[in-house]
Amino acid sequence: MSSPNLKQMLDWNGSSGQSWLAHQARFDSMLAAHAVALIQAAAPQSGESVVDVGCGAGATSLALAAAVGPSGRVVGVDISQGLLQRARARAQEAHLPIDLVLADAGRHPFPPRVFDLLASRLGVMFFDDPVSAFGRLREALRPSGRLLFLSWRGASENEGASVPMQAALRTLSAPARVSPDAPGPFSLGDRERIARLLGEAGFTHIEITPFDAALLFGRGDTRDEALDDAVQMAFHLGPLRRLLTDQPEPVRHAVCRDVREAFASRLTRDGVVLSSGAWIVSAQRG
């Protein structure tokens, strides 16, 4: 695999990929509503050919393969070797013939005009050249083909990022500002930017709809267990993990205390519940 998007390749074959592997079942559970929303909006039909962009450990590829049936085809593409290995094992266990490709989906040489659907659950925000990436993916679609993906809205609309970060900044210095358009989970948070990028890539009939879902971020049999669990999730998921890299233990302890206190205000009977905001984006090949 070769890719100029070196930072993402190293991250998803390094710390981010390792974190997702370690907590794969938990993350799939947290994002189950997003996967359901993707499948419902994409409406894959029996016999269709589908590319799952940024398929990760395979949750959406499995759902897509079940929907298109044995007469259809699903190709899952991801930049993380470890996550693809997990996806391959899950596909074999489920007896679903999913093709899994280790590649940067935005640069992979797909055959032209063979797929009916490009789908992605939160996997298209990491392209370093999104117009080029979406343009290449568009060429893989049949003339009647369609694109359907979920992307996060802004960090301020996703408490899994905003709540622990705001608490951590009581102790830590704010990280260096980066362009909101840089590859990352919130790079497609702006509705107008999504429409512009897809339009420049050649897509038409672009529709962008907000999707909100609660995330069970911390769980346990007791209040303390749920709060401790939520803190651990925050340390493994999102921007806080990077911010704490190489910090001394007293700093980590102070951040842990402040984040735990912030999560206490989100504690419910079910556990620590946080709000999340995404876009459901659909478009036609054009």
Side-chain angles (χ1 to χ4, degrees), residues 192-275:
E192 293 183 2
R193 181 170 191 255
I194 295 173
R196 176 176 59 79
L197 293 174
L198 292 181
E200 291 177 7
F203 285 96
T204 63
H205 299 87
I206 300 163
E207 296 186 5
I208 304 171
T209 305
F211 174 76
D212 299 299
L215 301 181
L216 182 56
F217 205 80
R219 59 190 184 188
D221 293 333
T222 67
R223 176 183 185 277
D224 286 341
E225 287 179 1
L227 289 174
D228 289 343
D229 186 58
V231 171
Q232 287 303 309
M233 281 295 99
F235 275 44
H236 288 287
L237 179 67
L240 186 57
R241 174 173 56 85
R242 295 180 180 86
L243 201 60
L244 288 172
T245 300
D246 298 328
Q247 292 289 345
E249 189 57 34
V251 171
R252 295 176 66 88
H253 179 78
V255 170
C256 177
R257 177 200 62 217
D258 291 340
V259 170
R260 194 176 193 276
E261 181 180 316
F263 281 146
S265 65
R266 270 72 173 180
L267 192 64
T268 72
R269 291 177 60 185
D270 297 320
V272 176
V273 177
L274 305 180
S275 63

Side-chain angles (χ1 to χ4, degrees), residues 121-163:
R121 183 199 68 178
L122 307 170
V124 296
M125 301 92 69
F126 303 96
F127 296 138
D128 60 332
D129 186 347
V131 172
S132 175
F134 282 119
R136 280 177 171 268
L137 289 168
R138 174 185 169 274
E139 290 300 315
L141 284 171
R142 304 184 198 275
S144 60
R146 63 201 189 276
L147 169 71
L148 197 292
F149 68 80
L150 266 70
S151 64
W152 294 121
R153 301 205 301 268
S156 62
E157 297 181 79
N158 284 280
E159 289 188 332
S162 63
V163 169

Side-chain angles (χ1 to χ4, degrees), residues 38-91:
L38 173 74
I39 301 302
Q40 289 180 342
Q45 302 297 305
S46 177
E48 287 193 319
S49 294
V50 184
V51 176
D52 186 6
V53 179
C55 66
T60 48
S61 294
L62 293 169
L64 289 164
V68 303
S71 61
R73 179 191 181 198
V74 173
V75 178
V77 184
D78 203 274
I79 205 169
S80 169
Q81 186 170 13
L83 290 173
L84 277 182
Q85 289 174 344
R86 179 68 55 82
R88 187 168 291 110
R90 297 173 75 189

Side-chain angles (χ1 to χ4, degrees), residues 17-28:
Q18 291 165 4
S19 182
W20 275 85
L21 275 174
H23 301 281
Q24 170 254 310
R26 178 68 178 277
F27 290 164
D28 281 349

